[in-house]
Amino acid sequence: MDLGLDSKVAWVLGASSGLGRASAAALAGEGASVAVSARDEAKLAQSAHAIEQETGSRCVAVPLDVTDAAAIPAAADRIASELGPVEMLVANAGGPPPGSFPSFDEDALRAAFELTTASAWRLAQAVVPSMRARGAGVIIFITSSSTKEVIPGLLFSNMMRAAVVGMAKTMSKELGPDGIRVLCVAPGRIETPRVNALDQVHADRSGLSIDKVRAESWSKIPLGRYGEPREFGDVVAFLASGRASYMTGTSVVVDGGLLNSILS
Ligand SMILES: NC(=O)c1ccc[n+]([C@@H]2O[C@H](COP(=O)([O-])OP(=O)(O)OC[C@H]3O[C@@H](n4cnc5c(N)ncnc54)[C@H](OP(=O)(O)O)[C@@H]3O)[C@@H](O)[C@H]2O)c1
């Protein structure tokens, strides 16, 4: 299937690793020109270079901390001048810290809000005016299966991402008439550094070996394994493309069948 992304401009955040990197690679693999952002400049430059080598598409590194509100419009302007206005935004960053209600204070609450919720809002604010002016655009928020079934021990993911889904749904209603689609993609357990780190936290807390923790986790997934980042990135590329032109205002779960809810 040709996704028709040749020379379209995408901006993918949290793209030096894991799901963001895989999404950027999938979009570039379909011919899109991609700007990738994350904080660690050296790692980001390496990822951009590798994506260019792998795909032959243009990939520009635009270092950015998504919690730096002032830097977001500046990054969008830089991308517009180097590649053209952003036509596909994939908003993503590292996840908020694991922990339960009694373990956090208000500073932690604010930090999680800035990282997960406010960043999604600000990134969308930075691209919507030019999308509106052109009458087309796609905004994809990478969320989590926690938006469908809360995950014990991940209070801030459960909380902050629900707000992103509410925002995305509302935006889809408001921006659909302008030709802008807004979607969430919710990973279950995709094998990335983040998932490996969470498994290690679980192993340290429980005293179980990391292999045992992973085996237990796999046993809850009907497909019997974690997803590969590529399997996630391909879904993002499809949703960003005109092949998904009638999809907006929904959350697509990529979880190997993990969730139990029939509403997922
Ligand atoms: N993997 C899964 O199965 C899974 C499941 C549910 C939810 N999620 C969520 O999906 C998101 C991506 O997960 P992942 O597994 O791909 O994580 P990952 O491998 O740790 O990658 C996170 C990426 O985000 C960047 N990043 C972190 N904080 C940032 C910030 N403040 N500003 C800009 N970039 C930032 C990181 O680079 P720098 O550190 O250099 O900035 C890195 O490129 C996370 O929010 C995670 O919680 C993942």
Side-chain angles (χ1 to χ4, degrees), residues 6 51 80 95 101 133-134 149 158 160 184 193 202 241 251 253:
D6 263 344
I51 289 170
F101 184 74
R134 292 191 321 280
E149 289 176 4
N158 299 335
M160 302 303 169
C184 296
H202 186 176
S241 79
S251 285
V253 176

Side-chain angles (χ1 to χ4, degrees), residues 71-154:
I72 290 177
D77 287 347
R78 184 182 151 194
I79 294 163
S81 67
E82 287 196 31
L83 296 178
V86 174
E87 296 167 283
M88 300 170 281
L89 170 72
V90 181
N92 173 50
S100 55
F101 184 74
S103 64
F104 290 121
D105 60 16
E106 282 211 18
D107 286 344
L109 175 76
R110 283 194 197 93
F113 174 76
E114 286 293 317
L115 176 66
T116 304
T117 310
S119 69
W121 159 277
R122 290 177 186 134
L123 288 162
Q125 289 279 358
V127 299
V128 161
S130 68
M131 288 181 175
R132 265 190 144 148
R134 292 191 321 280
V138 185
I139 297 172
I140 292 176
F141 298 105
I142 296 183
T143 59
S144 168
S145 62
S146 68
T147 59
K148 299 289 187 180
E149 289 176 4
V150 297
I151 302 175
L154 290 186

